[in-house]
Amino acid sequence: MVEIRLTNSKTRKKEVFEPIDPKNVRMYVCGPTVYDRAHLGNARPVVVFDVLNRLLRHVYGSEHVTYVRNFTDVDDKINATALARKEAGAEGSLEDLIHERTEETIGWYHADMDALGALRPNHEPRATGYIPQMIAMIEGLIARGHAYAAEGHVLFSVGSYADYGALSGRSVEDMIAGARVEVAPYKRDPMDFVLWKPSSDDLPGWDSPWGRGRPGWHIECSAMADDILGEEFDIHGGGIDLQFPHHENEIAQSCCAHDHGGFARVWLHNEMLQVEGKKMSKSLGNFFTVRDLLDQGVPGEVIRFVFLGTHYRKPMDWTEKKRAEAEATLRKWSEVAGRESNGRPDEAFVASLAGDLNTAGALSCLHQMFSVLEADWNGADLPDGTDIAATRETFVASANLLGLLTPDLGGWEKRHLTSDLAALAEHLTEVRAGAMIMKDFSEVDRLKSALIEAGVEVRMSKAGVELLPGAGFDPAKLEGLL
Ligand SMILES: [Zn+2]
């Protein structure tokens, strides 16, 4: 059996992964709050934990892995967007508009993440489907002396849980200073956090022992993980921005709700995403959604490839250069190796991935394997005994394990090629016709050398201009030629 090693944020060590039950390996990942399109940074944990899900399925068998990712469909931001629509004159009750908004956003999310080649989790629970479980958990916490009701709210008493702060390794004082905790008259301690809050008549609410209200954000993950995966399970994942307070609060709630429940054994956190070395933000003008990129013609597979080039525990920098390189590489790989395989992934490749999800190392293995296929493609002599067909099968099977070169994600490489090159061939034909009249071929020469530089084979004859992609074809270099 392949040995998987993962860096556990809880122990701050790289550990050999040993599932509680190898017949049912269980993972929970915090999902999106569904009020708007996912931005590029939201997609990073999706790809990171998709790779882990694929690796677990490869090692333990796809029927022995349970992957859960929630949708937060009750939230003040959702209420605000629905209210704004209502004020703008939209038909229907606020509740209808909220429902419409969350349904629409979940549809977008599925479409965008499918485009990145992320497998859908086994369960995608929605918070609104688990209100009774949340109420039951909150009642249990009150009964055990870990929570208290005050003015229609229920609060978790942080002082009642000695291990609070252990995940992020901070003292309660540091947390108070860093988190700008809300001081409210109904709180016994400023660190106490909300499990339940009252809803006014114009906001979504559910009847509860504390009056009509709605759950706090943290309790939903605890209640849904408990209901679907049990008191204790293997892996909990999410972005590093969720470590405090969200994950710290999940642990406090879940551990205090049970006598022996240890909640998640291994915690994994992915680092954040930047754009061209800067934090992505609306004020810097470098904010974009996954859909923006897809609409600009950047294939989802290319986005995925760029993400995989950086280890999940390091900040990932999205750059135009990486995008162009990823596109050229994938184009070449799919052209030479195709997308179908009945083979098994390469062992060194799997070992690399199993070493704390070293996706960059796994990509290096793929580059190495591909160099043999490329040499053969270019007609080079290969060492005796090289089995090209077997190498190709292994190469594609390995890429598939990373969610690359899957048939589902294919097609874009041909689409781009034909449209770009056909338009350029037409343009060059016109420029050449003009040059013959003016007896000035400088523009023809300029275009021709730029095309050759981009790896395009240029064939000019009396019959016309023909442009063909060569071995080193890099479509990114075609930009600006038209
Ligand atoms: Zn969560």
Side-chain angles (χ1 to χ4, degrees):
M1 170 129 352
V2 176
E3 184 179 276
I4 298 176
R5 296 167 69 85
L6 299 170
T7 301
N8 187 350
S9 311
K10 198 165 135 188
T11 58
R12 293 165 192 79
K13 285 191 190 111
K14 207 185 274 187
E15 297 169 351
V16 174
F17 175 66
E18 283 170 19
I20 300 166
D21 175 8
K23 291 265 175 284
N24 184 18
V25 182
R26 289 162 288 164
M27 172 161 78
Y28 186 95
V29 174
C30 295
T33 300
V34 284
Y35 67 99
D36 211 347
R37 285 267 185 202
H39 64 67
L40 193 62
N42 299 140
R44 191 173 188 206
V46 174
V47 172
V48 165
F49 294 105
D50 180 62
V51 170
L52 179 54
N53 182 35
R54 286 172 184 271
L55 176 66
L56 293 170
R57 287 161 66 101
H58 173 71
V59 174
Y60 296 97
S62 54
E63 67 281 20
H64 297 305
V65 178
T66 307
Y67 174 22
V68 181
R69 186 182 61 214
N70 67 298
F71 284 119
T72 297
D73 61 348
V74 48
D75 180 89
D76 290 346
K77 285 186 194 124
I78 303 172
N79 301 339
T81 50
L83 196 62
R85 270 196 189 180
K86 190 165 175 61
E87 280 165 1
E91 300 265 328
S93 68
L94 187 65
E95 212 156 65
D96 292 340
L97 293 172
I98 287 171
H99 183 70
E100 220 171 75
R101 183 68 180 183
T102 55
E103 284 299 315
E104 184 178 36
T105 313
I106 288 172
W108 290 340
Y109 191 79
H110 276 147
D112 295 350
M113 299 310 136
D114 289 354
L116 301 182
L119 301 174
R120 300 248 182 116
N122 302 89
H123 300 273
E124 296 182 284
R126 299 178 187 197
T128 51
Y130 286 79
I131 303 290
Q133 289 88 333
M134 293 182 216
I135 291 176
M137 189 175 257
I138 295 170
E139 286 183 305
L141 288 168
I142 295 176
R144 286 164 172 269
H146 290 293
Y148 57 94
E151 297 176 31
H153 292 74
V154 181
L155 293 124
F156 185 91
S157 167
V158 167
S160 76
Y161 180 53
D163 286 341
Y164 193 80
L167 177 70
S168 44
R170 313 183 197 199
S171 68
V172 171
E173 291 73 28
D174 286 351
M175 287 186 274
I176 293 175
R180 280 175 280 158
V181 293
E182 190 194 349
V183 182
Y186 48 81
K187 282 188 180 182
R188 288 184 195 159
D189 183 303
M191 278 303 285
D192 293 351
F193 59 88
V194 168
L195 300 172
W196 189 264
K197 54 189 163 189
S199 285
S200 53
D201 289 343
D202 57 346
L203 285 175
W206 290 263
D207 289 330
S208 81
W210 318 286
R212 186 174 173 276
R214 59 198 195 280
W217 170 38
H218 314 298
I219 193 72
E220 32 166 294
C221 288
S222 284
M224 291 189 280
D226 187 78
D227 195 76
I228 303 170
L229 297 177
E231 287 178 26
E232 197 165 19
F233 56 93
D234 298 297
I235 299 171
H236 192 310
I240 189 73
D241 55 329
L242 297 182
Q243 191 177 38
F244 178 81
H246 183 55
H247 291 160
E248 207 74 74
N249 293 355
E250 280 188 36
I251 293 176
Q253 295 160 162
S254 294
C255 289
C256 292
H258 302 290
D259 284 335
H260 306 291
F263 200 39
R265 288 202 176 171
V266 181
W267 283 82
L268 294 188
H269 289 102
N270 65 276
E271 261 294 343
M272 298 290 97
L273 177 131
Q274 304 175 328
V275 175
E276 305 286 349
K278 291 196 183 74
K279 192 178 171 201
M280 185 161 77
S281 78
K282 283 186 173 148
S283 61
L284 286 174
N286 64 354
F287 180 94
F288 46 90
T289 64
V290 174
R291 180 51 52 183
D292 290 337
L293 283 182
L294 296 171
D295 285 350
Q296 285 161 24
V298 180
E301 190 174 35
V302 168
I303 301 174
R304 184 178 182 95
F305 189 101
V306 172
F307 280 11
L308 296 178
T310 303
H311 190 256
Y312 74 96
R313 288 172 50 79
K314 291 195 181 124
M316 135 95 224
D317 194 17
W318 173 268
T319 66
E320 175 52 28
K321 185 166 176 277
K322 285 183 187 172
R323 199 244 353 121
E325 284 168 2
E327 192 167 326
T329 302
L330 282 170
R331 200 181 282 281
K332 201 163 56 180
W333 284 4
S334 64
E335 186 187 8
V336 174
R339 291 176 175 269
E340 304 286 343
S341 172
N342 295 311
R344 299 275 304 159
D346 176 64
E347 277 181 28
F349 167 88
V350 176
S352 189
L353 201 54
D356 201 20
L357 294 188
N358 183 2
T359 49
L363 286 180
S364 300
C365 288
L366 287 178
H367 279 293
Q368 255 175 36
M369 271 184 263
F370 184 74
S371 63
V372 178
L373 301 177
E374 193 178 30
D376 178 64
W377 178 263
N378 291 331
D381 285 334
L382 295 170
D384 285 348
T386 307
D387 185 342
I388 280 295
T391 307
R392 196 203 68 78
E393 292 279 343
T394 309
F395 172 77
V396 176
S398 305
N400 286 172
L401 181 53
L402 273 181
L404 297 171
L405 295 187
T406 56
D408 285 357
L409 292 185
W412 62 267
E413 60 276 25
K414 295 178 186 86
R415 204 162 55 233
H416 280 224
L417 266 181
T418 43
S419 60
D420 293 359
L421 290 183
L424 276 164
E426 201 176 307
H427 178 61
L428 188 52
T429 306
E430 282 168 20
V431 172
R432 190 172 68 146
M436 282 172 177
I437 297 164
M438 303 304 290
K439 304 270 183 264
D440 175 5
F441 287 85
S442 56
E443 179 60 8
V444 175
D445 291 341
R446 187 190 74 84
L447 281 172
K448 201 176 153 187
S449 40
L451 285 164
I452 291 166
E453 168 68 26
V456 178
E457 199 182 312
V458 183
R459 292 182 191 168
M460 288 203 231
S461 66
K462 277 182 190 159
V465 174
E466 205 183 348
L467 301 179
L468 300 165
F473 179 54
D474 178 1
K477 290 187 181 162
L478 297 180
E479 271 166 38
L481 285 185
L482 267 180

